[in-house]
């Protein structure tokens, strides 16, 4: 399959959709999905949840006890906005080891989950009408965060190697107003599962350097690679450029703590984002920051736990790919992600996946219709499928039902 | 003493100070304070920290263990934006018992500390240039949060009974543009320590009802009353009005968890604030929400712990009041709070407390200069003193030093 040449449009002011309208649309889409997933016996590929049975509950409970025993009053007291210093030191060591990113603790800001990083960067960098370049389809949480600051989007299409760099160069050459930011998820993107290839990473860096556009590299899934070789992060490759790098423990340990980090190489930006965070929530929980640190500093640390997750997720991905092959009618295609939590499927042109969801609810299977992920264009026939949060058997059964749903829809049942 | 008639100004557009300038000013003021408080051997009355030696560390550690043992995977997983339902139920029961506030769990939104509530209400209600009525002096965290949305302030002065309702009525009668919100801290206000009297509460409600202005009642300190009778909250008194009520566990259990709540009686507002929170941080930590609930549901709950804190804080307040009487030179005055964490002192007119702080640093005592708390007017001779975070002996010694500092300053040493 290929998504090439889909999703890039010329910068056309009339095509920009503003915050209120988009939020309205998306909130209703999300409510619709939730209604379906909350029904009993539904097999849901709609969420983006890590597998809870893999959470390191006992070790994390020990980490909490350790923190409260050794450092209780500090773990329950107010703390500094920048974050717990040993955790910031651990983050910079971890990013060096796993991603060759060179940063010091005073470039690291601990945030209350990646969503907060999107919000803070939007708050500090975006004025109403400012342009953000995004991949198309793009991560919905980023759109929601930037929408709140009335950003407009310059959407650049993607293919199996990620963002189309020729289109990116062309769009920027034609732009009358310089975008404030390029936002992308280079590894196992949400929603597409696609990974930006190494040549494209270098091209993205060269193009952004030429136009002086900061790159916001959002990397929640980077450690969850099931096949292929690890690719260097944009931030590590773009040594001369001021990148913003973001990651989280939500996918490697557990999301319930709401602990993530922003790395900002631009000192002036860091010094604007810290007071923005202070005004937003003072600081991230002293307890969860310390518990994450206590967990991460154990022998083996986070990576030892990730190693136990990889084969489970890899198998689920494979089961889903095999089931799609087996059960989906002709004319459907999908991505084959090398990691992460999602794959992205395209139905025949005549299928509207939002309508399909209503039919799927009757057969008790759920997915996320793709339309809200597309920016500045109306694409109805895509869907996002999550493979991390269901057992092998459930995946087989769910995709079997989904195949039936698509066939019934195409036969005229709506 | 009386602060009557200080701090109210006519609505004068030229006097409004916008976000960037104010933030700049305040960030530098805060940095200055931090520099002093970080010096070794400094006795600091500058912070707003609860006494860490009173934190219920052991019970809270047990609550964490209980949660992770009984409900580990859910405590580590993503959860809903509105907050953990049993905690929202507990909040509505607690508000009913302690404050006669009638609300249902679906009017309660769990937030990541009160600061987030200020940010979210600002984000949803305030467009650039919108007016917010505030007490003068006002809580700095609220100003910081609303500044981010380029609010302008209608400041109404205060006296020993709180906001001057005659001034409030006059200012509103003269207003050409209707303010979006009245924000106030009715109990033991930060920074002044003043409590809004019952007649004034009723007048505030009547005036706001007349003009259709929503009241945002921020009540972090309400349970920390050391003398006088508990006063009904504005939200409980204003049964017909759509109030926003906010409180937190930061002062009654511990602030390090970042768990607080907004109660919104206006359904339409609630449904705007929830997606704003979703875009800001998805949800508050599943773990800390559950740990707070597990702690709060024990026999006696939060109130039993509060009862153990009250005599300690009451004594510290009394020691500070007595020390001020003993050591401060003539011409100084201060409030006599019935609860909370702060009192507010006024030096003779010739004293600039920002300058005084430099001198105080040499004598190793710290406070917060009052100027940043004053909105739309330039008042230099006030300071905020925190009495919750130092032992009795430290308070006596610190106020003795402060008296020396003021005397030295007035004698010409700057």
């Amino acid at each position: 399959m290929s998504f090439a040449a889909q999703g890039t449009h010329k910068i056309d002011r009339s095509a920009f959709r503003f915050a209120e309208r988009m939020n309205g649309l998306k909130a209703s889409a999300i409510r619709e999905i939730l209604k379906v997933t909350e029904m009993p016996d539904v097999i849901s590929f709609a969420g983006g949840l890590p597998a809870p049975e893999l959470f390191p509950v006992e070790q994390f409970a020990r980490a909490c006890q350790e923190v409260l025993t050794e450092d209780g009053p500090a773990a329950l007291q107010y703390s500094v906005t920048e974050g717990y210093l040993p955790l910031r030191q651990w983050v910079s060591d971890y990013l060096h080891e796993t991603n060759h990113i060179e940063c010091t603790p005073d470039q690291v800001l601990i945030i209350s989950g990646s969503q907060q990083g999107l919000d803070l960067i939007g708050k500090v960098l975006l004025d109403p009408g400012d342009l953000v370049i995004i991949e198309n389809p793009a991560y919905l949480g980023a759109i929601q965060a930037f929408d709140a600051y009335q950003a407009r989007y310059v959407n650049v299409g993607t293919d199996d190697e990620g963002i189309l760099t020729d289109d990116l160069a062309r769009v920027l050459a034609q732009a009358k107003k310089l975008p404030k930011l390029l936002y992308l998820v280079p590894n196992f993107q949400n929603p597409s599962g696609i990974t930006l290839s190494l040549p494209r990473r270098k091209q993205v860096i060269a193009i952004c350097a030429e136009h002086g556009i900061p790159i916001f590299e959002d990397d929640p899934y980077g450690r969850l690679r099931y096949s292929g070789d690890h690719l260097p992060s944009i931030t590590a490759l773009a040594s001369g450029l001021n990148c913003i790098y973001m990651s989280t423990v939500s996918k490697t340990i557990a999301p319930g703590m709401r602990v993530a980090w922003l790395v900002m190489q631009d000192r002036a930006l860091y010094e604007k984002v810290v007071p923005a965070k202070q005004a937003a929530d003072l600081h991230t929980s002293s307890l969860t920051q310390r518990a994450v640190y206590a967990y991460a500093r154990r022998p083996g640390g986070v990576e030892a736990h990730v190693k136990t997750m990889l084969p489970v997720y890899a198998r689920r991905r494979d089961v889903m790919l095999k089931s799609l092959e087996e059960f989906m009618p002709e004319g459907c295609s999908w991505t084959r992600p090398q990691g992460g939590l999602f794959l992205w499927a395209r139905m025949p042109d005549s299928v509207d996946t939002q309508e399909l969801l209503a039919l799927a609810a009757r057969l008790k299977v759920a997915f996320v219709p793709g339309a809200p992920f597309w920016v500045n264009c109306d694409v109805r026939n895509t869907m996002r499928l999550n493979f991390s949060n269901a057992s092998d058997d459930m995946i087989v059964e769910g995709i079997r039902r989904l195949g039936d749903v698509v066939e019934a829809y195409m036969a005229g049942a709506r």
Side-chain angles (χ1 to χ4, degrees), chain A residues 76-155:
Chain A
L76 298 183
Q77 187 58 288
Y78 286 112
S79 56
V80 295
T81 302
E82 290 84 347
Y84 181 49
L85 187 57
L87 179 61
R88 288 154 63 207
Q89 182 66 58
W90 175 82
V91 168
S92 51
D93 293 345
Y94 182 71
L95 293 182
H96 175 76
E97 282 159 30
T98 56
N99 259 314
H100 302 292
I101 291 173
E102 301 300 333
C103 65
T104 54
D106 64 357
Q107 296 173 320
V108 175
L109 175 67
I110 303 298
I111 50 180
S112 308
S114 290
Q115 188 66 35
Q116 186 176 53
L118 298 165
D119 182 56
L120 294 177
I121 294 297
K123 197 173 205 170
V124 166
L125 287 187
L126 302 178
D127 291 316
D130 274 350
L131 302 176
V132 177
I133 312 172
I134 53 168
E135 308 161 275
N136 214 10
Y139 174 50
L140 201 52
I143 296 172
Q144 285 179 313
F146 300 154
D147 272 357
Y149 303 101
Q150 296 177 43
R152 297 180 310 168
Y153 303 97
V154 180
N155 48 299

Side-chain angles (χ1 to χ4, degrees), chain A residues 177-216:
Chain A
K177 178 177 174 176
L178 200 66
K180 282 281 181 76
L181 206 60
L182 166 65
Y183 168 80
L184 40 70
V185 182
N187 296 315
F188 330 123
Q189 195 235 15
N190 181 353
S192 71
I194 286 171
T195 294
L196 187 65
S197 70
L198 184 57
R200 291 267 178 90
R201 287 174 195 234
K202 291 177 179 168
Q203 286 158 15
V204 164
I205 292 166
I207 294 164
C208 286
E210 187 192 333
H211 293 273
I213 294 173
I215 300 173
F216 185 174

Side-chain angles (χ1 to χ4, degrees), chain A residues 1 3 160 192-194 321 324 333-337 342-345:
Chain A
M1 73 155 310
F3 290 109
D160 293 343
S192 71
I194 286 171
L321 287 171
L324 287 164
S333 59
W334 46 87
T335 57
R336 286 166 181 80
F342 305 107
L343 61 78
W344 183 242

